[in-house]
Amino acid sequence: NSVDYIIIESTGISEPLPVAVALAEDDNLQTLVKLDTLVTVVDAETFLNDLESTQKAVERREMGAEKDDNRMIVDLLIDQIETANIILLNKVDRVKKHHMGTLRSIISHMNPTAEIREVEPSFVLNSGRFNLDEARGMKFWSEETEELKNPSGSKLPESEEYGISSFVYRSDRPFDDDKIQDIIDEGLEGVIRSKGIVWMKNDPEKVTVWSHAGASMILEDGPSWEEEGNTPRQELVIIGVDMDTDSIRKTFDDALWNEAQKKKKKKRMC
């Protein structure tokens, strides 16, 4: 009873969720402590530049990454934001008001449930905001998807105030692998974040997990569609600044597998 709070400060290259799981699910620790809140501190001055960075963590000596650490800074940044219950903005006095609005809007799209504040210790301690079940559900952005399906209309859209907008791309046809590679190589103008699950023609039995942030793009093998109990499909949440939604939808539509075109192409080659 002599300790009120224990504050654990992770390194800049730490991934918060594994730490949270270790604290929340260890039977011995559960009798001694309760995980209260996950807090991420964002450097408001460098955030927008880091979001577009192609640097790896090991390239910044101050981060203390090991030589064989291949993680990109932007991936670490996104993980730390998406897992947080509270996001504290630091160095706000060095950022112009309009840029602060853009920064807040981007962060709130990445993590719709977190509270965003300027540094204030009393706001962090004993907040009781951490919920492990919610943390486990972050991957598919259910809250963001629900808001897109049933907009509350209670606040001014970021699309009007800062040019920030988001939408969900869906389809029940597989992607052509070559065309998706073209999208990855060329990028999507105005898109700063996209995440979800996709269905690829060359590996139709498995879920492919899509994760894009800034200059970083990752496609990873997931479980089988049957194992997940899901119907094969495309489902991507896309966030951007001044993006042309119709054009991006068309880009993805054009990347869908078209059996008729493939047959026609093979016939010309013969």
Side-chain angles (χ1 to χ4, degrees), residues 223-236:
S224 68
W225 291 104
E226 184 178 358
E227 182 181 339
E228 285 291 285
N230 288 322
T231 303
R233 65 189 186 281
Q234 319 296 354
E235 188 169 307
L236 290 171

Side-chain angles (χ1 to χ4, degrees), residues 11-13 50 55 57-65 73:
T11 67
I13 58 173
D50 284 341
Q55 279 189 309
V58 72
E59 295 178 54
R60 292 192 186 176
R61 187 176 300 176
E62 68 272 17
M63 298 189 77
I73 289 172

Side-chain angles (χ1 to χ4, degrees), residues 8 36 76 87 119 128 157 172 194 246:
I8 300 174
D36 181 76
L76 293 171
I87 297 171
V119 176
D172 58 1
S194 58
D246 291 338

Side-chain angles (χ1 to χ4, degrees), residues 39-44 86-93 100 104 115-125:
V39 182
T40 291
V41 179
V42 172
D43 187 326
I86 296 174
I87 297 171
L88 297 180
L89 304 180
N90 194 20
K91 301 181 183 177
V92 296
D93 57 317
M100 278 301 302
R104 282 177 175 272
E115 291 203 42
I116 305 170
R117 294 281 188 94
E118 296 179 16
V119 176
E120 183 182 341
S122 62
F123 178 64
V124 177
L125 299 178

